[in-house]
Amino acid sequence: MAGTTAPPRRGLGDRVLTRIEILGNKLPEPFTLFLILFLVVAVLSTVMALLGVKITVPGTDEPIAIKGLFTGEGIAWFTTTLGENYIGFPPLVTVVPILLAIGIAEKSGFLSAAIRYTIGRAPRWLLPYVVGFVGVVGSIMADSAFIVIPPLAALAFKAAGRHPVAGLVGGFAAAGAGYSTNIFPTSLDALFAGITNAVIPSVPLLAESAAVVTPISNYYFNVVAALVLSVIAGFVIDRIIEPRITRQGVPREEVGADAAPAATGGADVDSSVPAGEDPAPNTRATREIGSEQTTAEAAEPAAEAELSSRELRALSWGALAFLLVGVAIVVFALVPGSPWRNEDGGFLPTSPLLSSIVFIIFTFFSVSGYVYGRVAGTVRGLKDVPGLMGSALKDMISFLVLAFILGQFIALFNWSGIGSWTAVTGAEALENAGITGFPVIVMFIVLCSLLNLLIISGSSMWTLMAAVFVPMLGILGYEPAFVQAAFRVGDSATQVMTPLNPYMVVMLAMLRKYEPGAGLGTLMARMVPFVVPFWLSWVLILAVFYLLGLPLGPGAGIMIQE
């Protein structure tokens, strides 16, 4: 018809992203996904048990027979260990205490105040790099970083006479693409370590020779990666993103609610989305990374960069408390005869000190958060602490539910022998194909990066990947902590590129306050300059640790020592 116009032609990138979104939306949510996987392993193990399949695992003299769930032995095992499989799921032991403490620090306002102060006080030339740093280490706040950091960065950029959209985009990209690393141990470290330790027993050789993974087993690697990625993020913001959006004529002022289309959008504002199709169909989708699952809604929170005088005073006291706790811990660890020393009087490779990491992290954040709250007036006394902890616990209810099926899956995978069979078979296949050394690690990272476009739950994906690859690569000689470090690279860098990330909806709503015509395609294009250098540099950092044989953290090496 003469009065109609053909829809604009969509580019290859837009079509690929649309296909990713369609495919990802067909996947079941994490609980259902692992219930299906549990049933698959149950049926497979039963069939293999009936066929008499056995596997010889390194470290054992006799072959191990596969045990089936739907047998007399399997039914007795499952019905008597259901609660143990759940309560004994290792991440619960470490994640819950740490989240309770971080809950005090976050709900009291301590973490938010620290971020606002750091960004707000940065000089104009340094601001992009400060935003990059704060974004990368913002994962200490879990998913709250995606909501808090971008608008604060935009306000700081505007106040410094720079383009606020550059701060907005940079804050979001740094928080997302660098999510799995930090200069501080976080609940995510505890979660990953717990899952890793849960799968180690499937291969006796690993259980006997591999180092136990703790929340700080990747700490040295994380610190280096966090600092490097912060600089890269700042460079990309300063030299690529801000000049580009300035050339594009993106407004520096919010255009007003009346001019901005709804966050659920349509083809009238985003040519990358077919007519009548929502750029993010589930605007209340949940994204679970690490240990916290948060409902993402397309609404920008109120943000104010400047701290009040009372908040500044409270932040000073909170920081002092944080410092004093650190001093007390160092003194207690170094005194002669400290109960935190091992039998040899040291701390490595194992010691009560390394086993006390959860207590140490808990003390740091609970004490500093409480002191801040008392001075700021957000905490009236000890009677408020249970409420703050309860609020933090409420934020992780979804994970506690998911942990039930994750625990059952890991327990069955190990008990049945399927984990051992998969590890040995996979390791032999890699060796026969001549794929060993660092190339096999790069292949693993690439696989994680691709799956991260579809499975955005960090705990779910690591449970799935760890069950297979920690034992498999362990047989090839790699420490579980090293495999976990490689997973971090693939788990983070690409997550700001997937349309399945519901925080993209939140970010799009923030962006449309300045740029009403922006769509998911616009946002994706601005993420690419971060994703590519983040991924490449992170792999390079891992390669340096690998080639030089550097420890990834206290007591955590690259290869298993015979």
Side-chain angles (χ1 to χ4, degrees), residues 184 318-334 340 353 359-365 367-368:
F184 302 107
L320 178 61
F322 194 93
L323 178 62
L324 291 178
V325 168
V327 171
I329 289 174
V330 170
V331 170
F332 186 75
L334 294 182
W340 277 350
L353 174 65
F359 165 80
I360 293 172
I361 297 173
F362 181 91
T363 305
F364 265 118
F365 289 104
V367 172
S368 56

Side-chain angles (χ1 to χ4, degrees), residues 386-479:
L388 297 176
M389 288 183 166
S391 181
L393 196 61
K394 183 172 65 175
D395 290 341
M396 66 175 297
I397 287 297
S398 296
F399 169 72
L400 294 178
V401 173
L402 178 63
F404 174 78
I405 193 62
L406 296 183
Q408 308 306 324
F409 171 77
I410 289 293
L412 175 61
F413 207 72
N414 290 339
W415 175 84
S416 66
I418 291 290
S420 301
W421 178 84
T422 304
V424 173
T425 304
E428 290 177 349
L430 289 173
E431 288 181 323
N432 293 335
I435 305 175
T436 56
F438 196 70
V440 74
I441 300 299
V442 175
M443 292 174 59
F444 172 67
I445 295 173
V446 171
L447 177 61
C448 293
S449 299
L450 294 175
L451 288 178
N452 194 40
L453 297 173
L454 301 174
I455 305 175
I456 56 174
S457 165
S459 58
S460 297
M461 191 163 80
W462 182 227
T463 299
L464 180 62
M465 301 296 280
V468 176
F469 287 96
V470 167
M472 182 189 300
L473 297 177
I475 291 176
L476 295 179
Y478 296 104
E479 281 280 6

Side-chain angles (χ1 to χ4, degrees), residues 216-232:
I216 58 171
S217 289
N218 291 157
Y219 185 66
Y220 303 155
F221 172 69
N222 282 347
V223 170
V224 173
L227 295 177
V228 171
L229 295 181
S230 298
V231 173
I232 292 174

Side-chain angles (χ1 to χ4, degrees), residues 243-257:
R244 185 170 185 270
I245 63 176
T246 300
R247 290 194 302 269
Q248 291 176 329
V250 177
R252 292 175 175 266
E253 302 291 337
E254 294 185 8
V255 297

